Amino acid sequence: MNKISKILCVAVLLVWILQMQPVYAAASFKDVSSDNVLITEIDYLVERGIIKGYPNGLFKPNEYVTKAQVAVMITRALGLKTANVKNPKYQDVPATHIYYKEIAATQNAGIFDSTKKFKPDGTLSRGEMAIVLQRAFKLKGSEPYDFTDVTEKTSGYKEILAVANNNITRGYQDGSFKPNLPLTRAHFSAFMARALTLSKVNFLKDPAYVYTYAFYSPDKDIRYTLKYQYSHNDNKNDVWTVINMSTQETFNDELLYGNETIYGQAIAADFSTHYDLFIGLPLRIGVIVHEDDDGPVNGNRITVKATDGTVRAGGVNYKNVAILEESFIYSDVVKTYYFVGGIGLVKELHNEEVIYELLKRTAN
């Protein structure tokens, strides 16, 4: 066989091998629909190679996750070293076990306890999930959380508070946490993706700057250039005056409220009784406001698509962008917000059309 023939054969073989390799994204899992409420978190893990599903194209989201699977996912997520691991001496995890290295790596890292047996095929409860994630991601937070079935005597009490304080879980609508309930593959994937994407981004505009935005009003089909300038704090909100730079016409003030646990924004008006955008912090990917939730904005769904995204606005490329998507059951408009820590909103889209875009910031 001549050299050219050999090269062609190798090329054909490589193409055949690549075609045979299953490449999965959450959208291609046969049993994970695009409207699954946990699709954002599952996609996140798939894109990073942390979960891969089964060879038949299934994810099996409703099957209980096993402790061995959890060890594998955490090892991949944290990039734990699996070479020269110390034997954890679990009686039921010999060195020949398919996931021995991952189980050993997570035990070596202090994520799983040293016990006689690991129970690799055993399930993981919600309470155990809290312990594992708190140890893996060094979660902080001890503020009381009023779960009806969690007390100081509950195993993993402090860790449950930590995951709740970081908005990784809110528990159930009846106020319970269900610490002993086994976790499904979908739910553990969601909780871990949230822990991986925690962000304490500051959504507020910086009062030291004047902000200039391009603004398009779809209702009036008019484009404006608006100047936002900090006015004062009304003992609750930062108040920003908004002026049309072409006509010097004054728009309603913008009200921004924020601390370590909440961000809210509203337009000042006599009829305004709530914030137009109101979210809990720290931020993490996934649905953070559901349309079935009680409250003044009932009917809205807010999904965090990314906490480390990118966007271009006003000729500037921004990194570490928090991207939020808001949809409404009473409207077909989908709003997408792009926030940058320490700067605030840099871009807003309505159904892919740019409504707000930060053009520049000028120091006061």
Side-chain angles (χ1 to χ4, degrees):
M1 185 181 291
N2 61 39
K3 186 174 182 180
I4 293 177
S5 296
K6 288 181 179 179
I7 292 173
L8 288 174
C9 287
V10 170
V12 170
L13 181 61
L14 285 173
V15 170
W16 179 78
I17 291 173
L18 289 172
Q19 287 175 338
M20 291 296 290
Q21 295 297 317
V23 179
Y24 297 123
S28 68
F29 288 138
K30 299 174 185 177
D31 52 354
V32 181
S33 63
S34 60
D35 60 353
N36 188 303
V37 73
L38 303 178
I39 191 70
T40 301
E41 293 97 320
I42 294 173
D43 270 338
Y44 179 87
L45 297 185
V46 172
E47 289 166 2
R48 285 153 183 80
I50 296 171
I51 56 176
K52 299 178 181 179
Y54 292 87
N56 58 1
L58 298 178
F59 179 65
K60 301 183 181 180
N62 298 320
E63 282 194 0
Y64 292 140
V65 71
T66 68
K67 292 183 68 177
Q69 291 170 346
V70 169
V72 171
M73 292 166 67
I74 290 177
T75 297
R76 291 172 180 166
L78 298 182
L80 298 179
K81 293 181 179 179
T82 56
N84 301 317
V85 290
K86 182 180 178 181
N87 192 331
K89 298 182 179 179
Y90 292 128
Q91 294 176 359
D92 52 357
V93 184
T96 55
H97 191 283
I98 185 173
Y99 298 129
Y100 167 78
K101 291 182 178 180
E102 291 85 352
I103 292 170
T106 50
Q107 188 275 340
N108 292 176
I111 296 167
F112 285 107
D113 293 328
S114 296
T115 57
K116 289 184 178 181
K117 292 188 177 182
F118 180 72
K119 300 179 182 178
D121 297 322
T123 60
L124 194 78
S125 71
R126 288 170 57 84
E128 291 170 331
M129 170 275 296
I131 294 172
V132 166
L133 293 185
Q134 190 280 325
R135 292 175 179 176
F137 298 100
K138 306 295 188 291
L139 301 175
K140 305 293 184 182
S142 57
E143 289 297 314
Y145 208 94
D146 295 328
F147 290 124
T148 57
D149 55 354
V150 175
T151 69
E152 293 183 7
K153 296 181 179 180
T154 302
S155 177
Y157 171 71
K158 291 182 179 179
E159 292 85 354
I160 291 170
L161 291 185
V163 296
N165 281 197
N166 284 281
N167 295 328
I168 292 172
T169 179
R170 296 185 299 175
Y172 290 85
Q173 288 187 340
D174 63 1
S176 67
F177 179 74
K178 304 187 189 306
N180 298 319
L181 186 70
L183 271 176
T184 64
R185 285 169 51 82
H187 279 108
F188 181 78
S189 298
F191 293 142
M192 191 170 72
R194 294 169 190 172
L196 274 166
T197 57
L198 282 177
S199 174
K200 294 186 177 181
V201 59
N202 175 13
F203 282 78
L204 296 174
K205 288 183 172 68
D206 188 340
Y209 290 85
V210 174
Y211 287 64
T212 302
Y213 284 92
F215 169 61
Y216 171 63
S217 172
D219 296 334
K220 298 179 181 179
D221 194 23
I222 299 176
R223 298 187 182 277
Y224 303 88
T225 301
L226 302 180
K227 179 175 75 174
Y228 283 66
Q229 185 162 14
Y230 177 76
S231 173
H232 64 285
N233 186 283
D234 63 4
N235 294 321
K236 181 179 181 182
N237 304 290
D238 285 350
V239 180
W240 290 75
T241 58
V242 185
I243 298 173
N244 181 343
M245 294 182 67
S246 298
T247 65
Q248 296 304 302
E249 172 190 4
T250 301
F251 284 44
N252 288 325
D253 291 338
E254 179 182 63
L255 306 180
L256 301 181
Y257 175 75
N259 55 36
E260 291 185 353
T261 60
I262 292 173
Y263 170 77
Q265 67 182 43
I267 296 174
D270 293 337
F271 58 83
S272 180
T273 58
H274 64 269
Y275 292 98
D276 301 304
L277 184 63
F278 189 79
I279 57 178
L281 301 173
L283 210 61
R284 47 74 173 178
I285 65 167
V287 176
I288 59 172
V289 174
H290 194 277
E291 56 264 29
D292 294 334
D293 292 343
D294 294 330
V297 289
N298 178 264
N300 296 17
R301 175 183 290 194
I302 299 176
T303 303
V304 181
K305 307 298 288 186
T307 58
D308 59 352
T310 60
V311 71
R312 184 173 177 81
V316 178
N317 293 320
Y318 294 98
K319 298 180 179 179
N320 298 318
V321 181
I323 305 174
L324 284 67
E325 184 178 277
E326 185 176 24
S327 58
F328 311 84
I329 63 174
Y330 306 111
S331 168
D332 60 359
V333 174
V334 176
K335 298 181 179 180
T336 307
Y337 306 91
Y338 299 84
F339 287 92
V340 176
I343 295 178
L345 182 70
V346 298
K347 203 166 192 176
E348 180 180 334
L349 309 182
H350 291 190
N351 291 346
E352 304 302 322
E353 185 166 34
V354 178
I355 300 299
Y356 282 97
E357 182 172 6
L358 180 63
L359 300 179
K360 64 179 180 179
R361 294 194 309 156
T362 307
N364 274 327

